[in-house]
């Protein structure tokens, strides 16, 4: 209500967390005013939001969701890039990095859980509880490894981590960084592609709320990233050329990070996301 007594629209800006009581901030439009905080139960908040959705066609309920995510692989280029996007995203409320050694990143949203052995998670299940999604970015190159060694890291460790989270909360979304040209048949001649395909197939059988396998190609690092190999730094300078020549094979780390976040917030019809899907979801 303005000083003249005229009704004005209001925006509801919630810290939307269905596990706890929802907090909505109501701010009058039209002229500057102070924010007033009101507490509602989740049921009351949903009713209020639905009413405004009916009144205003442009009202976006999904823009009010806030999520808490677990991220692995933060010491690698992909994981670090995804972490940076999550820390900068207004709808990501908390980020738990699970690493084998402490990381130097400092941020108000960030927590670091050090787990020396990803195959031994029994002592940290409490710390892994209460999250909406896992963005699994841990991985390794197959160079110099035989199939058994590569499968242990890529398949065994990933599946153990995923199955542990599933036992904690099956309502989570599990997002997995795979690789372009992963072999879903598991019978191809390329070793790493077979193992990646086997991992994708196994993850999609787990009864999480959703499972998404991201298949990025070449990724241009985000400015400020530290965990970037020299090859990517050199090739990153040629990104405009690669984008022109191979638009469906290259993307930016920013697009990959945003696509993973949006898969949790908004969902996507495909469980296997190629580069074109990553770009589409990043802009959703």
């Amino acid at each position: 209500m303005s000083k003249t007594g005229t009704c004005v629209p209001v925006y509801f800006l919630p810290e939307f967390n269905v596990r706890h009581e929802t907090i909505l901030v109501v701010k009058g439009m039209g002229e500057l005013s102070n924010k007033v905080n009101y507490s509602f139960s989740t049921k009351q908040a949903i009713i209020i939001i639905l009413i405004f959705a009916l009144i205003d066609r442009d009202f976006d309920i999904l823009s009010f969701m806030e999520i808490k995510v677990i991220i692995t692989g933060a010491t690698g280029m992909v994981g670090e890039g995804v972490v940076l996007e999550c820390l900068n995203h207004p709808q990501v409320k908390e980020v738990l990095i699970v690493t084998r050694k402490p990381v130097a990143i400092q941020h108000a949203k960030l927590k670091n859980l050090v787990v020396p052995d990803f195959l031994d998670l029994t002592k940290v299940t409490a710390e892994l509880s209460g999250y909406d999604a896992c963005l699994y970015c841990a991985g390794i190159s197959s160079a110099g490894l035989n199939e058994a060694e590569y499968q242990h890291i890529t398949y065994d460790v990933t599946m153990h981590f995923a199955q542990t989270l599933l036992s904690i909360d099956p309502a989570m979304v599990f997002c997995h960084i795979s690789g372009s040209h992963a072999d879903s048949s598991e019978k191809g001649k390329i070793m790493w592609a077979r193992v990646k395909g086997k991992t994708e197939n196994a993850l999609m059988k787990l009864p999480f709320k959703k499972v998404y396998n991201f298949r990025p190609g070449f990724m241009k690092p985000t400015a400020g990233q530290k965990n970037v190999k020299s090859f990517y730094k050199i090739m990153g300078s040629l990104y405009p050329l690669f984008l022109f020549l191979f638009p469906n094979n290259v993307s930016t780390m920013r697009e990959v990070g945003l696509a993973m976040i949006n898969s949790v917030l908004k969902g996507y019809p495909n469980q296997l996301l190629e580069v074109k899907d990553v770009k589409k979801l990043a802009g959703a």
Side-chain angles (χ1 to χ4, degrees):
M1 190 74 70
S2 68
K3 292 182 179 179
T4 60
T6 304
C7 288
V8 294
V10 295
Y11 283 144
F12 285 81
L13 309 175
E15 296 177 3
F16 203 86
N17 184 346
V18 296
R19 300 174 190 276
H20 306 291
E21 194 172 53
T22 303
I23 307 298
L24 300 179
V25 177
V26 183
K27 182 174 181 180
M29 297 290 291
E31 58 182 78
L32 294 177
S33 62
N34 294 325
K35 290 185 178 180
V36 182
N37 294 326
Y38 296 93
S39 293
F40 300 90
S41 67
T42 299
K43 182 177 180 180
Q44 290 170 328
I46 291 174
I47 293 173
I48 293 171
I49 290 173
L50 288 175
I51 291 173
F52 273 81
L54 292 173
I55 295 174
D56 185 356
R57 293 182 180 179
D58 295 326
F59 189 89
D60 185 4
I61 295 176
L62 292 178
S63 67
F64 295 140
M65 289 181 62
E66 284 190 330
I67 57 174
K68 298 167 63 177
V69 300
I70 297 170
I71 301 179
T72 66
T75 56
M77 188 189 81
V78 178
E80 182 188 36
V82 173
V83 168
L84 293 177
E85 290 307 317
C86 286
L87 295 179
N88 289 327
H89 200 287
Q91 290 178 257
V92 179
K93 182 178 181 180
E94 183 180 308
V95 177
L96 176 68
I97 297 178
V98 183
T99 55
R100 292 180 176 85
K101 57 184 179 180
V103 296
I105 305 173
Q106 299 292 323
H107 195 281
K109 290 183 181 180
L110 186 65
K111 294 181 179 180
N112 187 188
L113 176 63
V114 178
V115 181
D117 184 1
F118 275 26
L119 291 176
D120 184 11
L121 301 170
T122 55
K123 297 179 181 180
V124 295
T125 53
E127 288 87 345
L128 296 172
S129 301
Y131 289 86
D132 301 288
C134 174
L135 312 183
Y136 195 92
C137 305
I140 192 171
S141 169
S142 63
L145 301 178
N146 59 39
E147 186 163 351
E149 293 169 331
Y150 184 68
Q151 177 165 301
H152 174 71
I153 297 170
T154 302
Y155 179 84
D156 297 341
V157 175
T158 302
M159 291 304 299
H160 181 78
F161 197 94
Q163 288 166 340
T164 299
L165 292 182
L166 182 65
S167 69
I168 294 171
D169 187 358
M172 293 180 68
V173 176
F174 194 90
C175 299
H176 167 240
I177 289 291
S178 182
S180 180
H181 300 99
D183 180 10
S184 297
S185 75
E186 305 179 31
K187 298 178 181 180
K189 296 181 179 180
I190 302 175
M191 181 271 285
W192 73 262
R194 290 198 306 272
V195 176
K196 285 287 191 182
K198 178 180 180 179
T199 307
E200 290 179 343
N201 291 338
L203 287 172
M204 289 188 292
K205 293 177 182 178
L206 298 180
F208 282 106
K209 178 181 178 181
K210 291 286 184 180
V211 173
Y212 297 106
N213 289 292
F214 290 77
R215 293 177 167 182
F218 172 78
M219 293 164 281
K220 179 184 177 182
T222 299
Q225 283 197 247
K226 298 179 180 180
N227 299 316
V228 180
K229 295 181 179 179
S230 298
F231 168 79
Y232 273 89
K233 291 180 180 179
I234 296 172
M235 300 301 285
S237 63
L238 300 175
Y239 179 76
L241 176 61
F242 292 145
L243 182 61
F244 176 75
L245 296 175
F246 313 106
N248 291 326
N249 295 99
V250 299
S251 61
T252 65
M253 266 311 318
R254 174 172 170 76
E255 288 173 324
V256 174
L258 287 174
M260 296 188 87
I261 294 169
N262 283 337
S263 71
V264 181
L265 290 170
K266 304 179 180 183
Y268 198 71
N270 303 338
Q271 287 186 284
L272 299 176
L273 288 83
E274 305 291 350
V275 172
K276 62 180 180 180
D277 299 298
V278 168
K279 292 180 177 180
K280 181 177 180 181
L281 187 52

